[in-house]
Amino acid sequence: MAGFFNWASWVAVGDIANVGQLTGVNAIQLIAMVIKAANNARMHKKNCRQFAQHLKLISGLLEQLNLTDLKRRPECREPLELLEQALRKAVILVESCRDKSYLYLVAMGWVYVTKFRDYQDEIDRYLKLIPLISLVETSRDRLRAIERDRRLYTLEEDEMKVQETLLKSERSRSDSMRVSHQLSRRYPGYSIDQALREENSKLRKELDYMRACMELEQCDVIEHLIDFTETAAVDPAILEAAGASPKSTDAAAADRRGERRHKVVKETKLRNMSHPNNSFVTSHYNNEIEDWDRNLFACCFQPCLCIKVFCSPCDTFTLIATSVSDGEISQARACNDLAFHALYGGCYCYTCCIRRKVRKRFNIEGDACGDYCAHVYCCCCSIMQEWHELQVQEKRAREMDPPLEQAMDEY
């Protein structure tokens, strides 16, 4: 790892401006940079940690295969270059979760969630293209472990609430207090006025960059956030929540803010940019009650999966537990927990708790009694229904077409 620290001595991670500056850094060094940046992330902390944990598995595989030797082989050179290119974008993505404006990262939260998911898939895809990996027995085992390591990236509930507040044209007192609280956490030791000025400065830099990239729709969102910071600076509810006294403002300043508001795009347009064509995200955002994609007894629509679940329900159940817990519960732990609860006949209590987690994640209607009965009387059908729901929601999330995609790839 000495090469990584020598390289970092003249280009600090926080000073990286674009992917081009990372040229010449190999895959293992890039993964080390992602891990370091993930430890310092101030937003999307959970997503960054999950992403870094997945890349640790890849780093272990590359170290085992001797990366230097792989680069000497002509058949491995091109796949490795593609892998390193994807890892460079990953470094920029994770690093931006520390340096960018808090309000910006919250407003565009689902775009970042999609990026984490897409970058993981892209890195895994290029890894499989390296010829030697599939030939070495120990490497095949590690590769299977990487394929099974499916991470479910999402936004925290607090972040979703703040995002909803930011995209409103009018905010209630409770909305103002929520934003004030989050800004105080984001900027410890700052007064609310200083925190808003800091956010305003970062947003203006981001606006200049997006204008240079001709991302006009993105500029509308940033202008909306800049207007929010300036309006919030004289919002009595926010100042009161932060323990500060409201400031007076003259009519000219109020007129300037009013003129700027007329230039901001409509609230629905801002919402669509932050939640592009994603029914899963929209259901969370609007708190709409959803239903399962498939009926409990529609278990024969995937015959192969039906046979697999019938013959080995525990295997599929442990995958569900791992996915819905964002990797906090490993397959081995889920299997051990299930065996422990089975000792006193309470395995259905455990499985119905996992079903409840699936329902809560996707805002599906139901209750604890229904979850328990479903697993007691139709255990295999319930597992199939839950696994199918996870697959469907992931597919819907992948259909997002974020407006930031091209800018993030270049940034």
Side-chain angles (χ1 to χ4, degrees):
M1 301 298 291
F4 163 67
F5 291 108
N6 290 337
W7 184 89
S9 65
W10 61 273
V11 179
V13 178
D15 294 332
I16 295 168
N18 53 58
V19 176
Q21 287 182 264
L22 294 169
T23 303
V25 186
N26 68 39
I28 294 177
Q29 294 167 349
L30 288 166
I31 290 174
M33 296 175 72
V34 170
I35 294 169
K36 182 179 179 181
N39 291 333
N40 296 324
R42 297 179 181 177
M43 270 291 295
H44 295 286
K45 292 181 181 180
K46 193 172 182 178
N47 291 331
C48 288
R49 284 197 298 268
Q50 288 199 97
F51 192 59
Q53 288 167 4
H54 183 76
L55 293 188
K56 279 182 183 178
L57 299 176
I58 296 175
S59 178
L61 175 59
L62 294 176
E63 287 175 353
Q64 180 189 25
L65 292 174
N66 191 337
L67 187 61
T68 305
D69 183 57
L70 285 176
K71 283 198 167 184
R72 294 195 187 104
R73 298 174 180 270
E75 66 274 17
C76 297
R77 198 170 296 146
E78 184 176 353
L80 276 173
E81 288 176 356
L82 292 172
L83 176 64
E84 289 173 355
Q85 183 178 354
L87 286 170
R88 291 185 196 109
K89 295 191 294 183
V91 173
I92 301 301
L93 176 68
V94 177
E95 181 61 24
S96 69
C97 293
R98 184 190 71 176
D99 292 337
K100 284 186 182 291
S101 155
Y102 165 76
L103 297 178
Y104 172 84
L105 290 171
V106 171
M108 303 308 297
W110 288 109
V111 176
Y112 273 76
V113 167
T114 303
K115 279 292 177 182
F116 278 111
R117 186 185 300 117
D118 290 348
Y119 284 4
Q120 176 176 322
D121 291 344
E122 184 180 358
I123 290 167
D124 290 354
R125 185 169 64 251
Y126 290 143
L127 185 68
K128 295 175 189 175
L129 295 178
I130 301 175
L132 286 180
I133 288 182
S134 58
L135 299 177
V136 183
E137 180 63 30
T138 54
S139 298
R140 287 203 296 268
D141 292 339
R142 284 177 177 262
L143 188 60
R144 282 194 288 269
I146 291 170
E147 290 175 349
R148 289 196 299 268
D149 186 48
R150 305 304 302 167
R151 304 280 175 164
L152 192 58
Y153 301 103
T154 187
L155 281 182
E156 298 288 345
E157 185 176 353
D158 288 344
E159 294 169 357
M160 286 191 282
K161 288 180 179 178
V162 174
Q163 184 187 70
E164 181 180 359
T165 298
L166 290 176
L167 299 181
K168 285 181 178 178
S169 56
E170 295 183 1
R171 287 171 286 278
S172 66
R173 181 184 179 82
S174 61
D175 291 335
S176 300
M177 293 180 68
R178 182 183 297 120
V179 173
S180 175
H181 175 66
Q182 292 298 327
L183 283 174
S184 298
R185 290 179 56 189
R186 179 67 173 80
Y187 293 96
Y190 280 57
S191 68
I192 189 64
D193 188 53
Q194 290 173 323
L196 289 168
R197 283 203 301 268
E198 185 70 17
E199 283 292 306
N200 188 281
S201 175
K202 289 182 178 181
L203 287 167
R204 289 188 180 280
K205 290 178 182 177
E206 192 69 30
L207 181 61
D208 291 340
Y209 174 78
M210 288 300 171
R211 281 174 175 166
C213 295
M214 299 299 291
E215 291 288 341
L216 301 182
E217 288 186 339
Q218 183 64 12
C219 290
D220 288 336
V221 174
I222 298 173
E223 287 175 356
H224 174 80
L225 296 175
I226 290 173
D227 182 63
F228 172 83
T229 61
E230 295 177 355
T231 305
V234 293
D235 187 335
I238 289 182
L239 295 173
E240 182 180 343
S245 57
K247 295 182 178 181
S248 61
T249 180
D250 56 18
D255 289 342
R256 285 195 297 272
R257 288 195 301 274
E259 290 171 3
R260 191 179 295 108
R261 273 197 196 92
H262 290 296
K263 296 179 182 178
V264 177
V265 293
K266 292 182 180 180
E267 181 181 350
T268 52
K269 181 178 178 182
L270 293 170
R271 293 185 189 278
N272 289 337
M273 284 196 63
S274 300
H275 306 73
N277 303 322
N278 191 315
S279 59
F280 162 50
V281 173
T282 305
S283 68
H284 273 299
Y285 183 78
N286 294 324
N287 293 321
E288 295 175 356
I289 301 300
E290 297 292 324
D291 200 358
W292 296 96
D293 185 74
R294 292 277 182 175
N295 186 276
L296 180 62
F297 301 108
C299 52
C300 295
F301 62 95
Q302 289 180 290
C304 293
L305 179 61
C306 185
I307 295 171
K308 178 185 175 183
V309 172
F310 180 77
C311 296
S312 179
C314 292
D315 185 48
T316 307
F317 172 76
T318 54
L319 284 172
I320 295 170
T322 301
S323 296
V324 80
S325 65
D326 298 331
E328 292 181 6
I329 301 176
S330 65
Q331 282 189 265
R333 178 184 164 187
C335 189
N336 292 337
D337 290 346
L338 191 61
F340 171 76
H341 289 288
L343 292 176
Y344 64 90
C347 57
Y348 292 123
C349 295
Y350 180 63
T351 57
C352 79
C353 288
I354 298 298
R355 182 178 178 85
R356 180 172 176 269
K357 285 180 179 288
V358 176
R359 283 197 304 100
K360 286 187 67 178
R361 179 175 290 276
F362 303 121
N363 213 23
I364 296 173
E365 187 176 12
D367 53 38
C369 181
D371 296 337
Y372 182 78
C373 290
H375 273 270
V376 169
Y377 298 112
C378 312
C379 183
C380 291
C381 293
S382 299
I383 291 173
M384 275 203 65
Q385 185 186 41
E386 293 153 21
W387 181 243
H388 174 73
E389 191 70 28
L390 287 169
Q391 291 178 318
V392 167
Q393 297 294 354
E394 184 176 357
K395 182 179 178 182
R396 289 176 181 172
R398 290 178 192 281
E399 291 173 355
M400 292 175 70
D401 183 23
L404 264 180
E405 185 163 0
Q406 183 178 355
M408 284 292 295
D409 287 342
E410 295 172 355
Y411 193 37

